[in-house]
Amino acid sequence: MMKGTDSIRSLKGIGDKTEQIFRSAGIETIDDLITLYPRYYLTYEEPVSIADAQPGIRVAVYGKITNALAYRQFKGLKITTCNIRDHSGALGLIWYNMPYMRKQLHQGDTRIFVGTPVMKNGRLVMEHPETFTEEAYRKQRQTLQPVYPLSRGLTNKMIVKAISQTVDYMREIPEYLPDEIIKKYHFPDYGLALQHVHFPVERQDVIEAKRRLIFDEFFIFLAAMRMIKEQNGVIENHYKIYETKESRDFMRNLPFDLTGAQMRALQEMKADLQKDEAMNRLVQGDVGSGKTILAVILLLMTATNGYQGALMAPTEVLAVQHYETFCKMLEPYQIRIALLTGSTKAKEKREIYKKLENHEIDIVIGTHALIQEKVNYRCLALVITDEQHRFGVKQREALYRKGLEPHVLVMSATPIPRTLALIIYGDLSISVIDELPANRLPIKNCVVNTSYRPNAYRFIEKQVAMGHQAYVICPMVEESENLEAENVTEYTKILRQNLSPSIRIECLNGRMKAADKNRIMEEFGKGKINVLVSTTVIEVGINVPNATVMMVENAERFGLAQLHQLRGRIGRGDSQSYCIFISGKDNEETKKRLEILNRSNDGFYIANEDLKLRGPGDFFGVRQSGMMDFVLADIYQNADLLKMADDSIRSLEENGFSFGNLNNDRLKKQLELALQL
Ligand code: ADP
Ligand code: MG
């Protein structure tokens, strides 16, 4: 009998090497494997005209092979190529290390080819297309193929092969949610939901399975929060923090006046720091509303009251930027500031650990490495997390386990409606910064099609000539980070050919080493790089006020919330900023969605309108707020399930149910998992 805790080694086809590949994706046991959910499902759509095929978007085309398949070897690769044509245009096909394709396809054959075209040497080609005869394609049209999140070495085939061996096990998994919940909401059993999410027969299977699994994510999250609360009770304020000479001096010398909303939030937090209970607050403010300065003020107060403070950022790039901001702003006050991230060298790390223990560091800035096991603080009084939209449960638990009970402040740009925030953030108090600094000119937006590209390039050149900088965002590639990196590199080449050679263009992508990313970001921050081509890795937090242009390629492929975040990288200084959304698709729906962004720079408004357009419970679309750290769940799209989970927990509690006192093994295990770092 298979057990959830069994190693995936027990499956057929998984030897040392494959095990290692799974392991580096965080999958070691059967339970890890079956909770690796598909990101989406491939459907096989009607073929489009070749002329409508676009880089980065998977399509089917119906074409005739116009030449004999050519074969050559290059740098150890066996490359097979040919061209196809339909009434509208031509497209190249490429296969690597599949020389036998020459036996399978011939000049004159007409087939349906499915794949994601990419630009190669300035021309559109499809690599490794799936190939069907018309009849075979008719059958394929009716299937839903799960597509899993891939990482280096891990292919969809490997995952499907492994998971398909666990179907019997999934069938046997006992239900762990109370019966009344299952009945009330007509959920499928846990085991059935798992089977259906991996191997749906029809769309309805996916919808029902996902409802159940998303409900579970919310339920477990909220239950874990309850459990901590039950265990910890009210946290006493051990660190009363007051204004100091330095903090007053800092406030007097600010280069700008705080907005009314910033002042209000600051007052609320200052009051918190003196109460009997520890501060536990969320500051919610749209991109560019000026949250960082509040963190600076509070941490300066903390340090000069004789305590330590920490600032956590979700990415290393952002941590480095914050570190530099803090060093510059707090320079006059002799505050000891350190940076601690994943790429800090081992020796330096040990040094920092020691200094933190001895209180030779006042403020430490970094990624969530800051609260991991080895780090011990002498007197940690305040932890601020930036853009970590769901800081809470895990991290707070980690702090308490270390015997630390600091004040906690979470800063977020995610515009969560108050009713949902109250559920998600449970016991947090909330401050809202609903006002932008007065010097800001509203960003000017435009939504255009690809024929506008040359104009956009000329525009970027003009802005650079005026001393400004620009971001260009490349479309993400769903299938893999490799392809995405390639895309960005390719685009950078094209851009270099199209912009004046005096303009320095560099690129950034998720596959680069942290150190390289940091270097590029630093140079961009200093104005040494004029144009930064990037994937969405730059989306969170980055602040380069001199950048005035944001050009987003294939804007239709991003969620609106994400586009809003991206756009938030400009319009951060005194100069007029411009956002150019290039839409690769001209259909009505795309126009409507992008029009929302065109019309408004307000995150709340955008999130609401987007939801109206897509409708709640869009179980096939891209998650809107991929930043909330849930796997399947999206608090906007699944707000109804979030409320249901909250209701369920309340009614269980009213009936005397205690999460701290469980006799349900699987639920207990899920809660423990939710609490692990
Ligand atoms: P976010 O809320 O997105 O984190 P930041 O804190 O990075 O925004 O602030 C964006 C920019 O606005 C920074 O350059 C910051 O110095 C500046 N800023 C913050 N508050 C004000 C203000 N009251 N007046 C003018 N500029 C401000
Ligand atoms: Mg910020």
Side-chain angles (χ1 to χ4, degrees):
M1 264 279 279
M2 197 179 272
K3 288 203 301 292
T5 48
D6 287 352
S7 158
I8 51 167
R9 274 306 283 262
S10 59
L11 299 174
K12 272 198 288 269
I14 298 195
D16 282 342
K17 203 171 140 218
T18 318
E19 183 190 20
Q20 196 46 49
I21 292 172
F22 271 103
R23 188 188 293 269
S24 44
I27 297 159
E28 298 183 12
T29 65
I30 301 290
D31 273 348
D32 294 340
L33 182 67
I34 61 177
T35 48
L36 176 74
Y37 303 124
R39 286 177 39 148
Y40 58 97
Y41 301 83
L42 279 187
T43 51
Y44 289 81
E45 305 297 338
E46 279 297 334
V48 302
S49 297
I50 288 177
D52 289 336
Q54 293 186 21
I57 300 177
R58 179 176 172 275
V59 283
V61 294
Y62 183 65
K64 185 174 197 168
I65 298 177
T66 52
N67 57 342
L69 272 67
Y71 173 79
R72 69 197 151 98
Q73 296 205 20
F74 182 69
K75 289 187 185 161
L77 276 178
K78 300 186 170 111
I79 304 175
T80 312
T81 55
C82 73
N83 294 310
I84 60 164
R85 169 166 282 292
D86 70 2
H87 61 91
S88 71
L91 181 73
L93 305 181
I94 296 190
W95 295 267
Y96 299 105
N97 295 332
M98 293 168 74
Y100 49 85
M101 285 315 295
R102 278 177 301 168
K103 297 219 178 71
Q104 297 179 4
L105 289 173
H106 303 95
Q107 181 168 9
D109 287 350
T110 313
R111 293 279 187 284
I112 290 164
F113 299 95
V114 183
T116 306
V118 290
M119 289 302 281
K120 272 250 150 77
N121 303 321
R123 115 169 242 259
L124 210 53
V125 297
M126 215 183 243
E127 298 176 314
H128 293 242
E130 287 180 81
T131 306
F132 302 91
T133 59
E134 254 183 289
E135 197 198 329
Y137 197 67
R138 221 171 293 130
K139 282 200 196 113
Q140 191 73 16
R141 286 267 290 141
Q142 285 150 35
T143 62
L144 284 169
Q145 308 271 337
V147 179
Y148 291 92
L150 303 182
S151 50
R152 207 184 281 237
L154 196 60
T155 66
N156 212 52
K157 251 194 193 141
M158 285 158 76
I159 300 172
V160 171
K161 188 172 166 203
I163 297 185
S164 58
Q165 296 174 56
T166 65
V167 173
D168 285 336
Y169 165 71
M170 288 194 254
R171 206 168 281 143
E172 299 297 318
I173 296 179
E175 181 51 64
Y176 66 91
L177 280 187
D179 218 24
E180 64 247 45
I181 295 180
I182 304 284
K183 287 226 176 72
K184 182 166 177 200
Y185 298 118
H186 308 286
F187 285 137
D189 278 349
Y190 182 62
L192 185 64
L194 281 176
Q195 286 171 63
H196 276 171
V197 84
H198 291 297
F199 304 110
V201 182
E202 36 184 291
R203 292 173 78 91
Q204 194 58 25
D205 293 345
V206 176
I207 294 171
E208 281 169 18
K210 279 199 162 178
R211 268 180 43 133
R212 164 72 209 253
L213 296 174
I214 290 168
F215 177 90
D216 282 27
E217 268 195 76
F218 286 138
F219 184 88
I220 302 287
F221 170 73
L222 296 175
M225 227 156 61
R226 293 305 214 287
M227 205 165 93
I228 292 182
K229 219 169 152 188
E230 265 180 50
Q231 281 165 3
N232 297 324
V234 172
I235 308 291
E236 199 187 315
N237 180 355
H238 308 293
Y239 312 98
K240 300 256 162 90
I241 293 173
Y242 305 93
E243 290 268 21
T244 55
K245 187 161 68 40
E246 289 87 349
S247 69
R248 285 199 198 94
D249 181 73
F250 184 81
M251 293 289 287
R252 263 197 309 276
N253 291 308
L254 276 180
F256 42 71
D257 292 330
L258 292 183
T259 62
Q262 282 172 316
M263 284 302 286
R264 248 186 339 267
L266 189 60
Q267 289 313 331
E268 285 165 347
M269 293 187 282
K270 279 189 193 162
D272 283 351
L273 295 175
Q274 300 175 19
K275 287 186 182 147
D276 293 335
E277 256 180 65
M279 173 165 82
N280 198 11
R281 185 173 287 275
L282 163 72
V283 170
Q284 195 182 59
D286 211 342
V287 277
S289 61
K291 297 181 288 292
T292 314
I293 192 71
L294 301 183
V296 176
I297 296 167
L298 291 176
L299 286 167
L300 174 62
M301 282 173 62
T302 305
T304 49
N305 272 263
Y307 302 123
Q308 293 173 302
L311 175 61
M312 270 193 334
T315 66
E316 197 165 321
V317 167
L318 185 53
V320 171
Q321 182 193 283
H322 279 329
Y323 174 71
E324 277 158 12
T325 306
F326 271 65
C327 288
K328 208 157 41 185
M329 292 195 126
L330 297 182
E331 207 214 33
Y333 307 103
Q334 272 120 45
I335 306 292
R336 297 161 301 182
I337 307 175
L339 175 70
L340 181 63
T341 69
S343 50
T344 308
K345 301 249 160 34
K347 185 163 159 250
E348 202 180 328
K349 259 187 201 161
R350 281 196 298 276
E351 191 94 333
I352 293 176
Y353 293 157
K354 210 170 78 205
K355 286 188 174 167
L356 283 171
E357 263 188 274
N358 297 334
H359 197 175
E360 292 168 84
I361 289 172
D362 304 303
I363 298 176
V364 61
I365 297 174
T367 47
H368 76 291
L370 289 186
I371 57 168
Q372 267 157 7
E373 250 157 68
K374 288 185 213 130
V375 193
N376 289 308
Y377 295 86
R378 170 62 67 83
C379 49
L380 182 66
L382 171 63
V383 174
I384 302 181
T385 55
D386 187 22
E387 304 285 357
Q388 192 121 355
H389 305 90
R390 218 189 79 186
F391 176 87
V393 181
K394 289 180 184 178
Q395 287 89 343
R396 248 179 289 162
E397 176 65 7
L399 289 170
Y400 299 145
R401 262 192 251 145
K402 284 162 171 282
L404 297 170
E405 298 183 340
H407 297 289
V408 168
L409 173 64
V410 183
M411 304 195 297
S412 167
T414 308
I416 307 175
R418 199 171 179 85
T419 47
L420 299 184
L422 287 175
I423 299 176
I424 279 286
Y425 291 107
D427 48 345
L428 268 68
S429 325
I430 301 177
S431 299
V432 179
I433 308 185
D434 50 6
E435 187 184 348
L436 291 181
N439 64 342
R440 300 289 166 74
L441 297 167
I443 295 170
K444 291 196 174 151
N445 303 295
C446 65
V447 179
V448 293
N449 62 26
T450 48
S451 68
Y452 187 81
R453 231 180 245 139
N455 302 15
Y457 293 160
R458 296 294 82 79
F459 186 76
I460 290 176
E461 280 177 337
K462 257 195 232 149
Q463 286 286 312
V464 171
M466 289 165 68
H468 292 305
Q469 290 161 278
Y471 298 97
V472 178
I473 307 298
C474 283
M476 44 187 173
V477 178
E478 296 258 292
E479 283 73 22
S480 82
E481 268 195 337
N482 278 330
L483 263 182
E484 184 160 286
E486 198 176 306
N487 228 29
V488 176
T489 319
E490 187 79 12
Y491 195 96
T492 308
K493 273 191 219 150
I494 295 173
L495 206 55
R496 283 188 182 134
Q497 288 158 9
N498 278 283
L499 293 187
S500 150
S502 63
I503 294 180
R504 184 163 166 217
I505 307 168
E506 296 293 342
C507 76
L508 205 64
N509 67 66
R511 283 293 302 276
M512 286 164 63
K513 289 205 196 84
D516 293 335
K517 272 192 226 168
N518 291 338
R519 183 175 45 78
I520 298 263
M521 239 6 264
E522 196 186 321
E523 290 188 41
F524 188 69
K526 288 186 179 146
K528 288 184 187 155
I529 295 171
N530 308 108
V531 178
L532 187 65
V533 184
S534 174
T535 56
T536 51
V537 290
I538 61 129
E539 82 187 61
V540 248
I542 292 304
N543 184 42
V544 180
N546 189 45
T548 52
V549 186
M550 165 71 59
M551 169 172 162
V552 185
E553 285 282 355
N554 284 112
E556 77 281 1
R557 306 193 54 207
F558 297 93
L560 289 190
Q562 199 172 22
L563 288 173
H564 178 62
Q565 272 287 327
L566 284 169
R567 176 170 60 185
R569 296 313 113 218
I570 56 167
R572 297 185 148 246
D574 297 333
S575 308
Q576 178 64 52
S577 287
Y578 306 87
C579 191
I580 307 168
F581 297 109
I582 307 258
S583 164
K585 255 192 189 159
D586 255 346
N587 67 31
E588 275 309 303
E589 198 212 311
T590 309
K591 272 199 197 123
K592 258 196 209 150
R593 284 188 42 200
L594 293 179
E595 189 47 39
I596 295 171
L597 284 173
N598 205 3
R599 210 164 40 224
S600 170
N601 290 318
D602 173 354
F604 261 101
Y605 174 81
I606 292 166
N608 263 324
E609 291 297 302
D610 193 23
L611 191 57
K612 271 194 226 156
L613 266 187
R614 291 154 59 106
D618 171 5
F619 291 108
F620 294 93
V622 195
R623 284 194 317 161
Q624 185 183 54
S625 57
M627 350 129 151
M628 282 301 275
D629 213 31
F630 289 108
V631 182
L632 291 173
D634 176 313
I635 52 160
Y636 298 93
Q637 300 266 290
N638 313 122
D640 57 333
L641 289 164
L642 177 58
K643 288 187 184 125
M644 277 152 59
D646 188 51
D647 285 346
S648 302
I649 286 181
R650 280 170 202 281
S651 87
L652 285 173
E653 279 176 337
E654 274 161 27
N655 294 319
F657 191 89
S658 155
F659 287 98
N661 208 348
L662 273 180
N663 60 1
N664 178 328
D665 282 345
R666 189 154 196 111
L667 184 50
K668 208 188 239 164
K669 211 183 101 206
Q670 303 270 39
L671 288 179
E672 273 161 19
L673 275 177
L675 293 175
Q676 264 169 26
L677 263 183

